[in-house]
């Protein structure tokens, strides 16, 4: 099972459509659960991160293999990500990806992470990044099943 915990709700129809398309495609390979936790409105970055941490932690099972999306994480190409997903499923039944909000992730969430992943040194809007992550997870399953997919 793949679980994606994200801060914030998707409002844009085109992004919702893209997410639904990848959810449909991934249903052939794995169960997918996307959990949205609320954005926190507060002038203090520390309070925001703390409250987001509390919301995120509710959905992390102690047995989950947690992959946090962090700008300072490891960068993999698509084949390496596919191998990481494949080898992780040999030892864990659930891989949980966590996408933070505007300020990233609380240190406690980063410490809980089993693997820190970065897609780039660039900053992405977290709503758009969710589509990018789903596409790469889908690509990983195609690679792991030796199925053709565009390059």
């Amino acid at each position: 099972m793949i679980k994606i915990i994200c801060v914030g709700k998707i409002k844009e129809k085109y992004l919702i459509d893209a997410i639904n398309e990848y959810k449909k495609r991934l249903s052939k390979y794995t169960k997918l659960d996307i959990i949205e936790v609320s954005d926190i409105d507060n002038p203090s970055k520390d309070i925001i991160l703390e409250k987001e941490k509390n919301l995120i932690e509710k959905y992390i099972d102690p047995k989950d293999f947690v992959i946090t999306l962090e700008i300072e994480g490891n960068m993999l190409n698509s084949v390496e990500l596919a191998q990481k997903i494949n080898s992780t499923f040999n030892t864990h039944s659930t891989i949980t990806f966590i996408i933070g909000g505007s300020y990233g992730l609380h240190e406690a969430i980063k410490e809980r992470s089993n693997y820190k992943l970065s897609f780039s040194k660039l900053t992405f809007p977290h709503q758009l990044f969710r589509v990018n992550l789903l596409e790469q997870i889908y690509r990983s399953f195609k690679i792991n099943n030796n199925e053709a997919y565009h390059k």
Side-chain angles (χ1 to χ4, degrees):
M1 173 183 179
I2 298 277
K3 186 168 34 174
I4 301 174
I5 303 171
C6 329
V7 175
K9 308 273 186 227
I10 302 289
K11 297 172 186 84
E12 297 84 357
K13 184 182 178 330
Y14 72 98
L15 292 174
I16 292 168
D17 290 344
I19 289 165
N20 287 336
E21 177 62 26
Y22 283 110
K23 283 168 72 172
K24 183 177 84 177
R25 291 181 186 194
L26 280 163
S27 68
K28 173 181 175 186
Y29 303 103
T30 189
K31 183 175 183 229
L32 176 67
D33 192 11
I34 298 177
I35 300 158
E36 295 177 329
V37 301
S38 298
D39 279 315
I40 304 299
D41 186 22
N42 191 292
S44 167
K45 174 184 175 182
D46 291 336
I47 290 172
I48 290 170
L49 286 171
E50 180 70 25
K51 288 185 176 188
E52 288 175 352
K53 171 188 74 85
N54 294 337
L55 293 171
I56 290 168
E57 285 180 331
K58 292 179 189 176
Y59 297 100
I60 301 173
D61 186 282
K63 293 179 270 180
D64 291 357
F65 186 90
V66 175
I67 298 177
T68 47
L69 283 301
E70 303 180 37
I71 202 163
E72 45 300 301
N74 301 299
M75 282 196 242
L76 304 175
N77 64 38
S78 295
V79 171
E80 291 167 334
L81 179 60
Q83 291 168 342
K84 182 72 178 166
I85 288 172
N86 196 42
S87 66
T88 301
F89 274 133
N90 289 330
T91 57
H92 294 79
S93 61
T94 301
I95 300 173
T96 298
F97 290 89
I98 303 176
I99 304 171
S102 301
Y103 292 112
L105 294 166
H106 190 279
E107 276 306 311
I109 299 292
K110 292 179 178 185
E111 288 170 15
R112 167 58 180 92
S113 179
N114 298 100
Y115 191 80
K116 295 164 185 14
L117 178 64
S118 174
F119 273 31
S120 170
K121 295 292 181 197
L122 300 171
T123 301
F124 296 99
H126 58 270
Q127 300 91 337
L128 181 59
F129 185 76
R130 195 180 311 181
V131 176
N132 291 343
L133 175 60
L134 284 166
E135 190 282 331
Q136 285 298 308
I137 293 169
Y138 174 68
R139 184 181 296 273
S140 293
F141 279 97
K142 296 292 274 185
I143 291 168
N144 288 335
N145 286 283
N146 296 313
E147 297 173 4
Y149 190 54
H150 62 82
K151 295 180 182 181

